[in-house]
Amino acid sequence: MRLLVVEDEPTLNAQLCRALEAAGYVADSAHDGEEGWYLGDSEPYDAIILDLGLPRIDGLTILKRWRAAGRGLPVLVLTARASWQEKVDGIDAGADDYLAKPFQMEELLARLRALIRRSSGHASAELTCGPVRLDTRSGVVTVSGMSITLTSHEYRVLSYLMHHPGKVISRTELTEHLYAQDFDRDSNTIEVFIGRLRRKLGVDVIHTVRGLGYRLDPPDA
């Protein structure tokens, strides 16, 4: 999953990106409203962390612009402001959740997991496909109850597929959600990760749709 952090305070921005990457996400960052608006409008993020008190363009204006343009991705608003009216304004502008500073990083990560699950139609923190189970809280992947070890890239590919079961996902889409904005992307490596995943899972849940991409379905689907 690929996230965007729009926060003008350099230390907090860096802390957020490190925490997200440690939790298995890919994180891009923006340090002002203009850059944040542009990235959120042009890149396919799975969720955005948005500070309200930004230079150049404030967070509420950015959020309203995204929603007016039909950008429906989950947005978690951060702010040092704690009044009820400002919370209402943020939610009315299109925020999916709200967290006032200071906050605990564990709470922010839990809220993000919930937002991403809900946006892809999942109620439980555990995603399943046949015998394959992925716990979004711990990052543990099991097959028929047995834990398997994945690299960070393998985990991200599997996580994205399991958040979108039954949907055909192109190599380009996987690449866009696997690498940060400034990374030299190569969609050919997706085939390598898919091959490794199939071997490690040992069950036929990742199906190739010729000319289109990959689809996650239970073995008997």
Side-chain angles (χ1 to χ4, degrees), residues 7-18 31 105:
E7 166 62 57
D8 64 314
E9 206 287 302
T11 300
L12 179 56
N13 191 309
Q15 289 173 342
L16 286 166
C17 288
R18 284 196 299 269
H31 295 84
M105 199 64 73

Side-chain angles (χ1 to χ4, degrees), residues 4-54:
L4 173 64
V5 177
V6 188
E7 166 62 57
D8 64 314
E9 206 287 302
T11 300
L12 179 56
N13 191 309
Q15 289 173 342
L16 286 166
C17 288
R18 284 196 299 269
L20 292 173
E21 289 163 359
Y25 299 104
V26 175
D28 290 339
S29 66
H31 295 84
D32 62 65
E34 188 173 325
E35 182 185 17
W37 168 78
Y38 174 78
L39 288 174
D41 194 56
S42 59
E43 295 288 332
Y45 293 107
D46 296 291
I48 294 178
I49 300 171
L50 176 66
D51 183 35
L52 290 187
L54 295 167

Side-chain angles (χ1 to χ4, degrees), residues 30-156:
H31 295 84
D32 62 65
E34 188 173 325
E35 182 185 17
W37 168 78
Y38 174 78
L39 288 174
D41 194 56
S42 59
E43 295 288 332
Y45 293 107
D46 296 291
I48 294 178
I49 300 171
L50 176 66
D51 183 35
L52 290 187
L54 295 167
R56 298 194 177 183
I57 307 175
D58 68 89
L60 282 179
T61 298
I62 293 171
L63 188 51
K64 290 175 181 177
R65 287 184 183 181
W66 286 336
R67 296 316 191 209
R71 301 284 285 163
L73 74 173
V75 176
L76 172 63
V77 163
L78 295 181
T79 182
R81 312 162 189 167
S83 77
W84 282 106
Q85 185 58 52
E86 284 162 340
K87 291 181 181 180
V88 170
D89 290 343
I91 293 171
D92 284 345
D96 297 279
D97 203 354
Y98 200 109
L99 197 57
K101 303 174 185 176
F103 55 85
Q104 294 296 318
M105 199 64 73
E106 290 80 4
E107 180 181 2
L108 179 138
L109 292 172
R111 288 174 180 266
L112 277 175
R113 288 194 297 268
L115 286 180
I116 293 170
R117 287 198 311 270
R118 289 200 297 268
S119 72
S120 54
H122 299 279
S124 172
E126 292 188 346
L127 309 180
T128 61
C129 181
V132 180
R133 183 180 298 269
L134 186 153
D135 190 327
T136 61
R137 297 162 299 189
S138 64
V140 172
V141 177
T142 59
V143 179
S144 300
M146 300 294 293
S147 179
I148 63 171
T149 301
L150 301 178
T151 67
S152 60
H153 283 82
E154 291 165 357
Y155 176 83
R156 289 168 184 163

